Amino acid sequence: MPARNPEEIPLLGVASSANEAASVRTHLNCLSCGSAHVAQVLGDNGGVSYVCTACGHSWS
């Protein structure tokens, strides 16, 4: 797959193919361990945070 402009990458859940969905998921890696197993979570005040499901590191 050729390199794409970031503005052309579909939002999560809106990918038109499995390859595009996998491409979107791999754009966010854990800042601590580098794993691609990252979940997006909503905070109590409505903010968005991320947590690595591999090592437990969280950030926003």
Side-chain angles (χ1 to χ4, degrees), residues 12-50:
L12 289 176
V14 188
S16 62
S17 73
N19 286 338
E20 286 183 19
S23 174
V24 171
R25 281 195 303 265
T26 60
H27 286 280
L28 185 62
N29 292 338
C30 176
L31 302 173
S32 181
C33 73
S35 173
H37 296 278
V38 175
Q40 182 178 350
V41 294
L42 296 176
D44 292 337
N45 62 358
V48 176
S49 296
Y50 304 93

Side-chain angles (χ1 to χ4, degrees), residues 30 33 35-39 51-57 59:
C30 176
C33 73
S35 173
H37 296 278
V38 175
V51 63
C52 175
T53 59
C55 75
H57 177 76
W59 69 98

